[in-house]
Amino acid sequence: MNSSPSSRSSAVVAELGPTNTGKTHRAIERMLEYETGMIGLPLRLLAREVYDRVTARVGEGRVALMTGEEKRLPPRPDYWICTVEAMPTDRQVDFLAVDEIQLAAHRERGHVFTDRLLHARGRRETWFLGADTIRPMVQALIPHVSVKRATRLSQLRYAGTRSLKSLPPRSAVVAFSADRVYELAEALRRLRGGVAVVLGALSPRTRNAQVAMYQSGEVQYLVATDAIGMGLNLDLNHVAFAALSKYDGAEQRELFPDELAQIAGRAGRHLNDGTFGTLNSLSELPPRVVSAIESHRFPAVRSLIWRNASLDFSSPESLLDSLSRAPNNNAFVRVERADDFDALKELSNVPAIRDIATHRASVELLWQVCQIPDFRKGLFGQHVALLRETFLQLSEGDGKLEQSWLSRQVSPLDDVSGDIHTLMDRLAAIRIWTYISHRSSWLHDAEHWQERTRRIEDALGDALHERLVERFVQRAARRSARRFVRSAERPAPESDSPFAKLGQLLGEVPGVEGGAMTEEQFVQRVVDATHDAFEVDASGSISFEGQPLARLVPGKDRRTPQIALAEPEVWTGGARRLLERRLVALSRDLVTEAMGGFPAEALTGSGSSAAMRGLAYCLAEGLGVTSQEAAREQWRLLDAESRERSTALGVREGERFLYVAEALAPHALERRCMLTALFHRSPAPQGVPREPVLQVSALGGWNARAFGYEILGPVALRIDIVERLSEALRHPNDAQQVHALLQELKLEGGVRARVLRELGGRSGRAPVKRRRRRRGGRAPGTAPDKSGANGPPAHAGAHSKPRRSGTGEGNG
């Protein structure tokens, strides 16, 4: 990522407009047209939602998730989904986007968004997404920006006041404190039988379970804070405000019209119109506010929150002075208050800290400690005391936090008993330690603490979801959302009860409270599992921890297999949605493995040249392998940069094929075989892909190339072997290698001669060294040349029977 605000190498686009315009969707689609990309989002919850969407497209192996407390980092990610604060600013990516850029005017977080607006750039393209109110500032700060106004896809209309009893299905009630949310949820439960709850303080695990319950139709109502206002995609028809003021961290104030619009705009998704209004405990919205929300017209933002990024770490006082420095641009307003700045002021007055913080490294460490967020939002002095102890420990001895001290802080939080409020308090506290655990240089055995804090947060999240369901969802309203506790005796094998099947699936795995695992706990284990936790056999059956879970079923081609759960009737709608999302991501990873990691989707976008798009398409259709005939022209037309990119991605030009090197590895060939057989709904020929040589008759009429083989006379050779032989035949001095390969393949007599003749004819050279002919005749002892070496090459892909129906094989 380019940190220079003056860089013109990246095209900068600002797509601005109201909610439900598809801005974030278009940014994701655009990012996936590039080989690498990054998107910064305003909420941890939204980052997780976008991560789920992207991984369902390209698999989890290519996508990283980065938030303050949650990190999912595959070995070589191409795409980074982050909260804006957690964006790795030193990471170079082709495409970069920042969502909800109007938050640059937010009194506490705004300075981070302003910094990204000024400095964050992708190498080739940068997008800023947000409300139209930020347009004048974006145009003033980035003169070369291309501004696009996004229009709402559906209408938003005012519906006046309603009682809770008269709310239509698929409604959300919005309040601005947890206590009020619970009060409203309880009232709706009594009236309507069930409700989901969404608050920003929930863990992603809990929020996902609640949203999945709502999205699947298990409940028809949602009670939430303004956490739903930042791009969470919910199927809402109506939004009802239960309050029009909130505490913003400094004071209780009335919401501005544009803030109301941000929340009201969640009603109506895609082309479905939506309505908004208030509960009848409030008065009607003023006509001017209604008009502004319906027409999406609000006063423009005239200044952005700013904080100096050039910090002086020579002493705590110098750091405070540099943080307090006023901007030199009238468009900026210095941030008034921030928790990290206030903590630094407090800690700078502690004698023990002043004695240590005397040089640059120690002051930098002090500033890093001050940036530990206070998720508890309790007494500020309590948080400062924690920061003080953390800094002193990191400044002494080996510069690590004491294991025993960490254990004393974390262990009391490993407790899932208590009511909703108690669990939320523990969740807020463990988030602090999850954040600290990802500062690997601060801890002994950081991986242990990351795993432990995440396990505690997950357990608390599961318990909180259970409490929310117990309190706010009547069991009659949720067909199978009961706690699936296994009895001491295993259900009878002949029982066809869905609950018995789920009990068998869950097994005797202990749940949060030491009892049997619930549906939600098992589903979350699957959602959080890494790729290695799943077993996929040659028929496409997927198992998790030894239990059959689902199977792959044919899609429109080999690259888009679909998912069918093994026992769909045993899961609630929300559970099915989460399982299917995770398994779709797994299926995309399997296809990527078959293609040797080739990022075909990124290279077929508009950001690539026509030749590159054509080549990528051919390789994608052939699962990483395409014939020279199909792709020779595209390869020839590649410019130097595109050819270099292709080579870096493993594309190789062979004698007969263009291929991705890793696509010919044994594991990739096994995935190819599975996907091809799956698409054609028929078992693969026996011996494929283990055997390097097959008799053509053994293929039973199948297209050899679809399974990674090439027909040469009476036999089919695996393509990796064909290319090894062809490469050896190119060099006259490699006759010994050719002989060794043929011996290994056990090719002898006429078969051996036929294979060599076809390979030699294809390259335009004989496979063995010939004597020079005498003038006017042939070499002594040789027969007349009938091989057609100077004529057209033999058709290497020919086979004796017509291939079976289906066109999904492509060129590979």
Side-chain angles (χ1 to χ4, degrees):
M1 188 160 61
N2 192 340
S3 62
S4 171
S6 61
S7 174
R8 293 291 192 91
S9 59
S10 171
V12 181
V13 174
E15 185 152 352
L16 308 176
T19 55
N20 192 26
T21 58
K23 298 186 296 292
T24 306
H25 170 76
R26 285 190 292 276
I28 292 170
E29 292 296 311
R30 185 62 169 166
M31 179 178 72
L32 294 178
E33 292 179 3
Y34 287 98
E35 289 179 47
T36 60
M38 182 185 300
I39 184 167
L41 300 146
L43 295 175
R44 181 190 186 196
L45 301 181
L46 182 54
R48 183 57 193 249
E49 179 177 309
V50 172
Y51 172 80
D52 289 346
R53 289 175 59 187
V54 174
T55 54
R57 287 281 298 278
V58 302
E60 293 199 348
R62 297 182 61 198
V63 189
L65 175 66
M66 294 282 288
T67 71
E69 312 99 82
E70 189 175 15
K71 291 180 174 60
R72 295 173 72 92
L73 286 173
R76 293 181 298 275
D78 295 321
Y79 304 108
W80 297 74
I81 313 301
C82 318
T83 51
V84 174
E85 286 84 351
M87 295 172 74
T89 55
D90 58 346
R91 174 70 57 170
Q92 293 278 329
V93 291
D94 294 326
F95 176 89
L96 182 140
V98 180
D99 200 9
E100 305 292 358
I101 194 62
Q102 77 276 1
L103 288 178
H106 190 276
R107 61 191 299 174
E108 291 185 43
R109 301 177 65 200
H111 65 91
V112 179
F113 286 79
T114 300
D115 179 81
R116 302 296 183 259
L117 182 65
L118 293 173
H119 303 300
R121 299 291 183 270
R123 280 183 297 219
R124 302 176 64 186
E125 192 166 3
T126 303
W127 281 26
F128 294 110
L129 318 172
D132 198 55
T133 54
I134 197 76
R135 177 195 297 258
M137 298 304 303
V138 171
Q139 290 176 319
L141 295 171
I142 312 174
H144 60 286
V145 67
S146 172
V147 179
K148 299 179 181 178
R149 193 178 195 284
T151 56
R152 188 175 166 89
L153 299 175
S154 62
Q155 296 295 314
L156 186 62
R157 292 285 180 258
Y158 181 56
T161 62
R162 291 177 180 266
S163 65
L164 280 178
K165 189 174 182 178
S166 65
L167 286 176
R170 313 309 289 169
S171 289
V173 180
V174 179
F176 298 98
S177 71
D179 288 340
R180 182 63 172 147
V181 165
Y182 298 143
E183 179 186 336
L184 290 163
E186 180 65 29
L188 264 176
R189 183 195 66 80
R190 291 195 298 267
L191 291 168
R192 297 294 191 177
V195 61
V197 174
V198 173
L199 303 91
L202 298 181
S203 67
R205 192 180 181 100
T206 312
R207 194 276 305 185
N208 286 348
Q210 290 285 306
V211 168
M213 191 170 63
Y214 173 81
Q215 289 290 85
S216 67
E218 293 171 38
V219 295
Q220 293 293 320
Y221 298 90
L222 181 73
V223 183
T225 63
D226 53 348
I228 68 168
M230 289 295 174
L232 295 182
N233 291 306
L234 300 166
D235 296 327
L236 291 173
N237 294 332
H238 181 74
V239 170
F241 289 94
L244 299 174
S245 65
K246 72 173 185 177
Y247 181 72
D248 65 0
E251 60 183 359
Q252 187 76 21
R253 64 169 178 81
E254 296 294 315
L255 273 80
F256 300 119
D258 60 324
E259 292 175 312
L260 292 171
Q262 185 75 28
I263 301 167
R266 294 301 115 197
R269 302 307 302 161
H270 194 52
L271 300 178
N272 298 322
D273 293 344
T275 58
F276 68 99
T278 59
L279 293 184
N280 58 6
S281 57
L282 301 175
S283 58
E284 295 268 1
L285 287 172
R288 62 177 181 81
V289 174
V290 171
S291 176
I293 294 174
E294 289 184 337
S295 62
H296 320 299
R297 296 185 181 278
F298 307 99
V301 171
R302 295 299 179 187
S303 60
L304 305 182
I305 304 302
W306 176 89
R307 184 159 75 178
N308 180 30
S310 301
L311 302 181
D312 183 351
F313 292 104
S314 57
S315 70
E317 293 79 9
S318 299
L319 178 57
L320 286 167
D321 288 343
S322 60
L323 286 166
S324 302
R325 191 169 301 157
N328 56 9
N329 188 322
N330 292 333
F332 301 138
V333 175
R334 183 173 61 83
V335 61
E336 292 181 5
R337 65 168 302 275
D339 288 344
D340 51 9
F341 181 83
D342 294 341
L344 179 63
K345 283 179 65 177
E346 291 287 329
L347 294 178
S348 297
N349 293 321
V350 176
I353 290 178
R354 292 179 64 87
D355 291 342
I356 295 172
T358 57
H359 55 281
R360 181 180 180 86
S362 60
V363 176
E364 285 185 351
L365 175 62
L366 178 60
W367 180 231
Q368 292 170 5
V369 170
C370 289
Q371 291 176 301
I372 296 172
D374 182 14
F375 295 111
R376 294 172 295 189
K377 300 299 182 185
L379 296 175
F380 184 64
Q382 180 184 11
H383 184 63
V384 170
L386 171 64
L387 300 184
R388 174 185 177 278
E389 181 63 25
T390 301
F391 176 75
L392 291 176
Q393 285 196 30
L394 293 173
S395 303
E396 298 171 353
D398 61 0
K400 309 280 187 182
L401 295 176
E402 296 176 6
Q403 299 268 55
S404 58
W405 179 75
L406 277 172
S407 185
R408 288 196 301 272
Q409 307 302 315
V410 171
S411 294
L413 304 176
D414 193 1
D415 180 0
V416 295
S417 63
D419 59 14
I420 289 173
H421 289 283
T422 301
L423 291 172
M424 289 194 67
D425 288 344
R426 291 194 192 117
L427 261 174
I430 197 63
R431 288 177 67 188
I432 296 174
W433 297 105
T434 301
Y435 179 94
I436 290 174
S437 73
H438 283 95
R439 290 281 189 172
S440 299
S441 61
W442 291 4
L443 297 95
H444 297 282
D445 196 4
E447 289 186 2
H448 161 75
W449 289 105
Q450 290 166 11
E451 173 60 29
R452 184 175 180 186
T453 55
R454 179 178 177 178
R455 179 185 58 77
I456 293 173
E457 183 176 340
D458 289 348
L460 290 169
D462 289 338
L464 178 58
H465 175 65
E466 282 294 305
R467 301 294 192 281
L468 292 171
V469 170
E470 287 169 2
R471 179 170 172 183
F472 300 126
V473 181
Q474 289 183 3
R475 293 306 180 186
R478 196 175 185 220
R479 176 179 56 81
S480 59
R482 67 190 65 188
R483 186 176 178 86
F484 290 99
V485 181
R486 277 180 50 81
S487 61
E489 297 182 3
R490 186 176 293 273
E494 64 272 11
S495 172
D496 60 357
S497 162
F499 302 142
K501 292 178 181 177
L502 181 60
Q504 293 170 0
L505 182 63
L506 297 182
E508 299 290 355
V509 185
V512 170
E513 296 171 345
M517 182 175 290
T518 65
E519 176 191 67
E520 287 86 359
Q521 291 165 354
F522 179 80
V523 168
Q524 200 60 50
R525 282 170 69 93
V526 176
V527 169
D528 290 340
T530 62
H531 184 74
D532 295 339
F534 299 93
E535 297 175 5
V536 184
D537 67 18
S539 67
S541 294
I542 302 171
S543 299
F544 177 72
E545 297 180 345
Q547 295 286 349
L549 184 60
R551 68 184 188 280
L552 296 173
V553 296
K556 62 184 176 64
D557 55 36
R558 292 187 298 175
R559 293 184 294 129
T560 55
Q562 303 301 303
I563 293 294
L565 294 177
E567 298 285 354
E569 72 276 9
V570 308
W571 307 107
T572 58
R576 282 197 303 273
R577 180 172 175 267
L578 292 171
L579 285 172
E580 287 169 351
R581 199 289 309 166
R582 177 63 187 95
L583 295 175
V584 166
L586 173 68
S587 73
R588 301 299 175 258
D589 283 329
L590 297 174
V591 174
T592 299
E593 288 177 4
M595 292 196 294
F598 184 69
E601 187 168 15
L603 296 174
T604 52
S606 58
S608 300
S609 66
M612 176 62 88
R613 292 198 301 271
L615 176 64
Y617 177 80
C618 289
L619 286 170
E621 287 292 295
L623 293 179
V625 181
T626 187
S627 66
Q628 284 279 8
E629 290 88 347
R632 181 183 290 112
E633 186 66 12
Q634 290 93 332
W635 181 255
R636 184 184 67 80
L637 292 174
L638 288 182
D639 57 35
E641 180 184 357
S642 296
R643 192 178 293 265
E644 185 178 343
R645 286 170 64 202
S646 300
T647 303
L649 291 169
V651 179
R652 301 291 182 263
E653 183 182 17
E655 287 294 291
R656 288 176 172 254
F657 297 92
L658 277 165
Y659 59 92
V660 180
E662 289 298 317
L664 298 183
H667 183 68
L669 290 171
E670 288 176 4
R671 295 300 189 212
R672 165 189 285 271
C673 177
M674 177 197 71
L675 293 169
T676 302
L678 176 74
F679 178 71
H680 288 291
R681 297 179 171 89
S682 180
Q686 188 172 0
V688 175
R690 295 183 308 277
E691 298 298 331
V693 182
L694 295 173
Q695 294 297 317
V696 169
S697 58
L699 293 175
W702 283 106
N703 182 326
R705 288 181 178 176
F707 286 100
Y709 285 77
E710 177 80 330
I711 291 178
L712 300 171
V715 295
L717 267 62
R718 214 168 52 209
I719 288 175
D720 58 321
I721 301 297
V722 171
E723 288 298 334
R724 284 174 60 192
L725 266 174
S726 299
E727 177 66 20
L729 287 168
R730 287 177 58 191
H731 304 287
N733 297 329
D734 283 353
Q736 187 174 358
Q737 182 182 352
V738 172
H739 179 74
L741 274 172
L742 294 173
Q743 288 287 96
E744 182 182 338
L745 298 173
K746 299 179 181 178
L747 294 179
E748 297 178 354
V751 173
R752 172 177 179 149
R754 178 70 179 273
V755 168
L756 288 175
R757 183 164 64 251
E758 294 214 14
L759 290 177
R762 179 69 181 84
S763 64
R765 291 185 297 270
V768 294
K769 188 175 181 180
R770 298 176 180 268
R771 293 183 182 181
R772 181 180 299 175
R773 293 189 180 189
R774 296 181 180 179
R775 184 184 301 270
R778 61 182 180 270
T782 61
D785 185 3
K786 298 180 181 179
S787 67
N790 296 316
H795 181 52
H799 42 80
S800 57
K801 298 182 182 180
R803 68 182 180 189
R804 299 189 180 183
S805 61
T807 57
E809 299 91 341
N811 299 306

Coordinates of all heavy atoms in Angstrom, one line a residue, residues 193-233:
G193 N -43.5 -14.0 20.1 CA -43.0 -15.3 20.2 C -41.5 -15.5 20.0 O -41.0 -16.5 20.3
G194 N -40.8 -14.5 19.5 CA -39.4 -14.7 19.3 C -38.7 -13.5 18.6 O -39.3 -12.8 17.8
V195 N -37.5 -13.2 19.0 CA -36.8 -12.0 18.5 C -35.3 -12.3 18.5 O -34.8 -13.0 19.5 CB -37.1 -10.8 19.3 CG1 -36.7 -10.9 20.7 CG2 -36.5 -9.5 18.7
A196 N -34.5 -11.8 17.6 CA -33.1 -11.8 17.6 C -32.5 -10.5 18.1 O -33.2 -9.5 18.0 CB -32.5 -12.1 16.2
V197 N -31.3 -10.5 18.7 CA -30.7 -9.3 19.3 C -29.4 -9.1 18.7 O -28.6 -10.0 18.6 CB -30.6 -9.5 20.8 CG1 -29.9 -8.4 21.4 CG2 -32.0 -9.6 21.4
V198 N -29.1 -7.9 18.3 CA -27.8 -7.5 17.7 C -27.3 -6.2 18.4 O -27.9 -5.2 18.4 CB -27.8 -7.3 16.2 CG1 -26.5 -6.7 15.7 CG2 -28.2 -8.6 15.5
L199 N -26.1 -6.4 19.1 CA -25.4 -5.2 19.7 C -24.0 -5.2 19.2 O -23.4 -6.3 19.0 CB -25.5 -5.3 21.2 CG -26.8 -5.3 21.9 CD1 -27.2 -6.8 22.1 CD2 -26.8 -4.6 23.2
G200 N -23.4 -4.0 19.2 CA -22.0 -4.0 18.8 C -21.1 -4.7 19.8 O -20.0 -5.1 19.4
A201 N -21.5 -4.8 21.0 CA -20.7 -5.5 22.1 C -20.7 -7.0 21.9 O -19.9 -7.6 22.6 CB -21.2 -5.1 23.4
L202 N -21.5 -7.6 21.1 CA -21.5 -9.0 20.9 C -20.3 -9.4 20.2 O -19.7 -8.7 19.4 CB -22.8 -9.5 20.2 CG -24.1 -9.2 20.8 CD1 -25.2 -9.7 19.8 CD2 -24.3 -9.8 22.1
S203 N -19.8 -10.6 20.5 CA -18.7 -11.2 19.7 C -19.3 -11.5 18.3 O -20.5 -11.8 18.1 CB -18.2 -12.5 20.4 OG -19.2 -13.5 20.3
P204 N -18.4 -11.6 17.3 CA -18.9 -12.0 16.0 C -19.6 -13.4 16.0 O -20.5 -13.6 15.3 CB -17.6 -12.1 15.1 CG -16.7 -11.1 15.8 CD -17.0 -11.2 17.2
R205 N -19.1 -14.2 16.9 CA -19.7 -15.6 17.0 C -21.2 -15.5 17.4 O -22.1 -16.1 16.8 CB -18.9 -16.4 18.0 CG -19.2 -17.9 18.1 CD -18.3 -18.5 19.1 NE -18.4 -19.9 19.3 CZ -17.6 -20.8 18.8 NH1 -16.6 -20.4 18.0 NH2 -17.8 -22.1 19.0
T206 N -21.4 -14.6 18.4 CA -22.8 -14.5 18.9 C -23.6 -13.7 17.9 O -24.8 -14.1 17.6 CB -22.8 -13.7 20.3 OG1 -21.9 -14.3 21.1 CG2 -24.2 -13.8 20.9
R207 N -23.1 -12.7 17.4 CA -23.9 -11.9 16.4 C -24.2 -12.7 15.2 O -25.3 -12.7 14.7 CB -23.0 -10.7 16.0 CG -23.8 -9.6 15.2 CD -24.0 -9.8 13.7 NE -22.7 -10.1 13.1 CZ -22.6 -10.2 11.8 NH1 -23.6 -10.2 11.0 NH2 -21.4 -10.4 11.2
N208 N -23.3 -13.5 14.7 CA -23.5 -14.3 13.5 C -24.7 -15.3 13.8 O -25.5 -15.6 12.9 CB -22.3 -15.1 13.1 CG -21.3 -14.2 12.4 OD1 -21.6 -13.1 12.1 ND2 -20.1 -14.7 12.3
A209 N -24.7 -15.9 15.0 CA -25.7 -16.9 15.3 C -27.1 -16.2 15.4 O -28.1 -16.7 15.0 CB -25.4 -17.6 16.7
Q210 N -27.1 -15.0 16.0 CA -28.4 -14.2 16.1 C -28.9 -13.8 14.7 O -30.1 -14.0 14.4 CB -28.2 -13.0 17.0 CG -28.0 -13.3 18.5 CD -29.3 -13.8 19.1 OE1 -30.2 -13.1 19.1 NE2 -29.2 -14.9 19.8
V211 N -28.0 -13.3 13.9 CA -28.4 -12.8 12.5 C -28.8 -14.0 11.7 O -29.8 -13.9 11.0 CB -27.2 -12.1 11.9 CG1 -27.5 -11.9 10.4 CG2 -27.0 -10.7 12.5
A212 N -28.1 -15.2 11.8 CA -28.5 -16.3 11.0 C -29.9 -16.8 11.4 O -30.7 -17.2 10.6 CB -27.5 -17.5 11.2
M213 N -30.2 -16.7 12.7 CA -31.5 -17.1 13.2 C -32.6 -16.2 12.6 O -33.7 -16.7 12.2 CB -31.5 -17.0 14.7 CG -32.7 -17.6 15.4 SD -32.5 -17.6 17.2 CE -32.4 -15.9 17.6
Y214 N -32.3 -14.9 12.5 CA -33.3 -14.0 11.9 C -33.3 -14.2 10.4 O -34.4 -14.2 9.8 CB -32.9 -12.5 12.2 CG -33.7 -11.5 11.5 CD1 -34.9 -11.1 11.9 CD2 -33.2 -10.9 10.3 CE1 -35.7 -10.2 11.2 CE2 -34.0 -10.0 9.6 CZ -35.2 -9.6 10.1 OH -36.0 -8.8 9.4
Q215 N -32.2 -14.2 9.7 CA -32.2 -14.3 8.2 C -32.9 -15.6 7.7 O -33.5 -15.6 6.6 CB -30.7 -14.3 7.7 CG -30.1 -12.9 7.8 CD -30.6 -11.9 6.9 OE1 -31.6 -11.3 7.2 NE2 -30.0 -11.8 5.7
S216 N -32.8 -16.7 8.5 CA -33.4 -17.9 8.1 C -34.9 -17.9 8.3 O -35.6 -18.9 7.9 CB -32.8 -19.1 8.8 OG -33.1 -19.0 10.2
G217 N -35.4 -16.9 9.0 CA -36.9 -16.9 9.2 C -37.3 -17.6 10.5 O -38.5 -17.7 10.8
E218 N -36.4 -18.0 11.3 CA -36.7 -18.7 12.6 C -37.4 -17.7 13.5 O -38.3 -18.0 14.3 CB -35.5 -19.3 13.3 CG -34.9 -20.4 12.5 CD -33.5 -20.8 13.1 OE1 -33.4 -20.8 14.4 OE2 -32.6 -21.1 12.3
V219 N -37.0 -16.4 13.4 CA -37.7 -15.3 14.1 C -38.0 -14.2 13.1 O -37.2 -14.1 12.1 CB -36.9 -14.8 15.3 CG1 -36.8 -15.9 16.4 CG2 -35.6 -14.3 14.9
Q220 N -39.0 -13.4 13.3 CA -39.4 -12.4 12.3 C -39.0 -11.0 12.8 O -39.2 -10.0 12.0 CB -40.9 -12.5 12.1 CG -41.3 -13.8 11.4 CD -40.8 -13.9 10.0 OE1 -40.8 -12.9 9.2 NE2 -40.4 -15.1 9.6
Y221 N -38.4 -10.9 13.9 CA -38.2 -9.5 14.5 C -36.7 -9.5 15.0 O -36.2 -10.4 15.5 CB -39.2 -9.2 15.6 CG -40.6 -9.1 15.0 CD1 -41.4 -10.3 15.1 CD2 -41.1 -8.0 14.5 CE1 -42.7 -10.2 14.5 CE2 -42.4 -7.9 14.0 CZ -43.2 -9.1 14.0 OH -44.4 -9.1 13.5
L222 N -36.2 -8.2 15.0 CA -34.8 -8.0 15.4 C -34.8 -6.7 16.3 O -35.5 -5.7 15.9 CB -33.9 -7.8 14.2 CG -32.5 -7.5 14.3 CD1 -31.8 -8.8 14.8 CD2 -31.9 -7.0 13.1
V223 N -34.1 -6.8 17.4 CA -33.9 -5.6 18.2 C -32.4 -5.3 18.2 O -31.6 -6.2 18.5 CB -34.5 -5.7 19.6 CG1 -34.3 -4.5 20.4 CG2 -36.0 -6.1 19.6
A224 N -32.0 -4.1 18.0 CA -30.6 -3.8 17.8 C -30.2 -2.4 18.2 O -31.1 -1.5 18.3 CB -30.2 -4.0 16.3
T225 N -29.0 -2.2 18.4 CA -28.4 -0.9 18.5 C -28.1 -0.3 17.1 O -28.4 -1.0 16.1 CB -27.2 -0.8 19.4 OG1 -26.2 -1.6 18.7 CG2 -27.5 -1.4 20.8
D226 N -27.5 0.8 17.0 CA -27.1 1.4 15.7 C -26.0 0.6 15.1 O -25.5 0.9 14.0 CB -26.7 2.8 15.8 CG -25.7 3.1 16.9 OD1 -25.4 2.2 17.7 OD2 -25.2 4.3 16.9
A227 N -25.6 -0.6 15.7 CA -24.6 -1.5 15.1 C -25.1 -2.0 13.7 O -24.3 -2.3 12.8 CB -24.3 -2.7 16.0
I228 N -26.4 -2.0 13.5 CA -26.9 -2.5 12.2 C -26.8 -1.4 11.1 O -27.0 -1.6 9.9 CB -28.4 -2.9 12.3 CG1 -29.3 -1.8 12.5 CG2 -28.5 -4.0 13.3 CD1 -30.8 -2.1 12.4
G229 N -26.4 -0.2 11.5 CA -26.4 0.9 10.5 C -25.2 1.0 9.6 O -25.2 1.7 8.6
M230 N -24.2 0.2 9.9 CA -22.9 0.2 9.1 C -22.8 -0.9 8.2 O -21.9 -1.8 8.3 CB -21.7 0.3 10.0 CG -21.6 1.6 10.8 SD -21.2 2.9 9.6 CE -21.3 4.4 10.7
G231 N -23.8 -1.1 7.3 CA -23.6 -2.0 6.1 C -23.9 -3.4 6.4 O -23.7 -4.2 5.5
L232 N -24.4 -3.8 7.6 CA -24.8 -5.2 7.7 C -26.0 -5.5 6.8 O -27.0 -4.8 6.8 CB -25.2 -5.5 9.2 CG -24.0 -5.3 10.2 CD1 -24.5 -5.7 11.6 CD2 -22.9 -6.2 9.8
N233 N -25.9 -6.6 6.1 CA -27.0 -6.9 5.1 C -28.0 -7.8 5.8 O -27.8 -9.0 6.0 CB -26.4 -7.6 3.9 CG -25.5 -6.7 3.1 OD1 -25.9 -5.6 2.7 ND2 -24.3 -7.1 2.9

